Amino acid sequence: MDDLLRLDDKLNPDQRLIRDTVSSFVADRVLPHVGDWFEEAVFPARDLAPALGSLGLLGMHLTGYGCAGTDAVSYGVACRELEAGDSGLRSFVSVQGSLAMFPIWKYGSDEQKEEWLPRMAAGEAIGCFGLTEPDHGSDPAGMRTYAKKDGTDWVLNGSKMWITNGSIADVAVVWAQTDDGVRGFVVPTSTPGFSAPEIHKKLSLRASVTSSLYFDDVRLPASAVLPGVTGLRGPLSCLSEARYGIVWGVVGAARACLEAAVDYAKTRVQFSKPIGSFQLTQEKLAWMYVGTAQAGLTALHLGELKDAGRLEPRQISFGKLANVRAALDIARQARTILGGNGITLEYPVIRHMNNLESVLTYEGTQEIHTLVLGEALTGMAAYR
């Protein structure tokens, strides 16, 4: 499908190479199988992780320790192409790089970095990020998971929920209350007292592993603490990194739905002519393209701000709110164009539509991002 606004003309040669490389990987390794993965509720992380690592996609925006050290726009382009395959694939890469590797890279000790980052960048070790709890999602300050000092050790108790990669992870970055405030802990999942049962019966993000985490007197050495940060600033900075990837990723999901709708409209014949020749269908497609292109413009602008060191969390909230809602609207419109075929896994639309229902909620609900913008406009925090 033509890029009518020529947005990708603004990409440099390295960014275009990343686009084409990731797009080819998704076409070869993901698209032929992802419908079955979605239907069967599986994600072959152990098979895909080394391949993703060999392409430099895990922690690709970080430097050193085997990470690619790309710019923010390159990372965004990769997220876009990954989510054009499936939100679960982009979520895996996002959680690995932005939520598990980033806090170790940013706030970890030299020993923590050396132990985990090279293996995670290569896809040899999988990470997860434990912040959300069963009773505390949008308000992480109320978390009940607690780490208490016992001599030089820490003893961790509590639970987390809706954790991507949780039951397949080798290491969990867990955020817990302490007597000194919220701290991050690097927890090998083989530690006694740690368990991560998978959450089943999902109708969204089925090609993704989602788990609960339980900590029952998990004893950790002093070296498990992330030394570089105390307070919610730590986990919130990680979420900003991941949300930035979502801003780009959902453009890929929207584009995939639009392309499916355009192809279908050209070939589906009703009343003796293709439905793409009817004005109502063309109006839907035109607005779907406008929404996709506007989301792409937003993502590119935020990427340029991030590369310039000028990106603010409230700007990421704007992008996450606007782009996810646009992508979900586009997926729903595409479903109407495909009619009954739109609810089958023969086409990607219902899979993307269901996935986007989760993306709308995770890493900040649309309500929270709305209130972030409301505070930016009025100076008054409505959620406090």
Side-chain angles (χ1 to χ4, degrees):
M1 187 180 69
D2 285 344
D3 176 13
L4 298 180
L5 292 188
R6 298 289 181 259
L7 292 184
D8 276 10
D9 286 359
K10 295 176 68 65
L11 303 180
N12 64 38
D14 288 342
Q15 292 160 351
R16 292 177 192 172
L17 178 60
I18 289 170
R19 174 198 63 191
D20 295 342
T21 300
V22 179
S23 179
S24 294
F25 174 83
V26 169
D28 294 341
R29 295 288 300 273
V30 177
L31 290 180
H33 313 292
V34 71
D36 292 335
W37 298 342
F38 188 93
E39 186 171 21
E40 297 164 12
V42 297
F43 181 74
R46 292 294 175 185
D47 293 333
L48 290 177
L52 293 165
S54 69
L55 292 177
L57 298 177
L58 303 179
M60 64 183 290
H61 57 311
L62 309 179
T63 55
Y65 307 98
C67 301
T70 63
D71 59 26
V73 171
S74 294
Y75 175 52
V77 167
C79 288
R80 183 186 70 187
E81 299 307 319
L82 290 166
E83 194 149 355
D86 193 81
S87 298
L89 178 64
R90 196 268 310 146
S91 290
F92 176 84
V93 171
S94 179
V95 168
Q96 180 84 345
S98 292
L99 293 182
M101 294 175 69
F102 175 77
I104 296 173
W105 179 85
K106 180 75 172 178
Y107 304 119
S109 65
D110 290 340
E111 292 77 12
Q112 290 166 340
K113 295 174 185 178
E114 292 288 352
E115 178 179 4
W116 290 109
L117 292 181
R119 287 194 287 149
M120 295 174 79
E124 297 169 2
I126 293 173
C128 67
F129 175 86
L131 178 64
T132 297
E133 296 187 356
D135 296 321
H136 296 280
S138 296
D139 181 20
M143 72 175 72
R144 295 175 182 171
T145 298
Y146 201 91
K148 189 172 182 62
K149 287 293 289 288
D150 183 15
T152 60
D153 289 347
W154 291 89
V155 179
L156 182 65
N157 282 282
S159 64
K160 303 292 182 180
M161 194 172 187
W162 306 119
I163 308 303
T164 299
N165 299 346
S167 59
I168 58 172
D170 301 288
V171 62
V173 175
V174 179
W175 301 91
Q177 297 280 9
T178 74
D179 290 344
D180 300 320
V182 173
R183 302 297 302 271
F185 294 84
V186 180
V187 184
T189 58
S190 60
T191 307
F194 178 97
S195 60
E198 189 170 348
I199 296 172
H200 297 288
K201 298 186 178 180
K202 297 181 301 175
L203 296 180
S204 176
L205 285 175
R206 290 176 58 79
S208 179
V209 175
T210 310
S211 312
S212 298
L213 305 182
Y214 295 103
F215 317 104
D216 183 10
D217 286 336
V218 174
R219 182 169 291 272
L220 301 168
S223 60
V225 180
L226 292 174
V229 70
T230 301
L232 283 175
R233 178 173 64 91
L236 294 181
S237 67
C238 302
L239 289 173
S240 289
E241 293 293 314
R243 288 165 179 162
Y244 168 76
I246 290 174
V247 172
W248 279 89
V250 295
V251 179
R255 188 191 70 202
C257 291
L258 173 60
E259 289 174 345
V262 170
D263 289 344
Y264 190 85
K266 289 179 177 179
T267 58
R268 173 65 168 173
V269 174
Q270 291 290 283
F271 303 103
S272 303
K273 58 183 179 180
I275 63 172
S277 66
F278 291 107
Q279 292 181 356
L280 285 176
T281 301
Q282 289 193 5
E283 181 186 30
K284 290 180 181 181
L285 293 173
W287 281 113
M288 289 162 66
Y289 179 79
V290 168
T292 303
Q294 287 178 333
L297 281 167
T298 296
L300 183 60
H301 179 61
L302 295 185
E304 291 172 345
L305 286 175
K306 187 169 173 54
D307 278 327
R310 297 170 52 209
L311 185 62
E312 302 174 12
R314 60 186 182 176
Q315 294 167 328
I316 299 174
S317 286
F318 175 96
K320 206 267 186 180
L321 176 66
N323 283 13
V324 177
R325 289 184 64 174
L328 188 52
D329 287 344
I330 289 161
R332 289 169 175 165
Q333 285 281 48
R335 215 290 303 156
T336 69
I337 291 174
L338 270 67
N341 286 319
I343 68 166
T344 74
L345 290 174
E346 182 179 353
Y347 299 89
V349 173
I350 194 67
R351 177 168 51 80
H352 282 300
M353 191 172 84
N354 281 15
N355 286 340
L356 288 166
E357 290 289 352
S358 289
V359 181
L360 187 71
T361 298
Y362 73 20
E363 296 181 30
T365 65
Q366 68 168 349
E367 290 82 2
I368 289 296
H369 290 299
T370 298
L371 296 181
V372 169
L373 296 184
E375 181 181 7
L377 294 170
T378 67
M380 295 177 281
Y383 45 77
R384 293 194 181 98

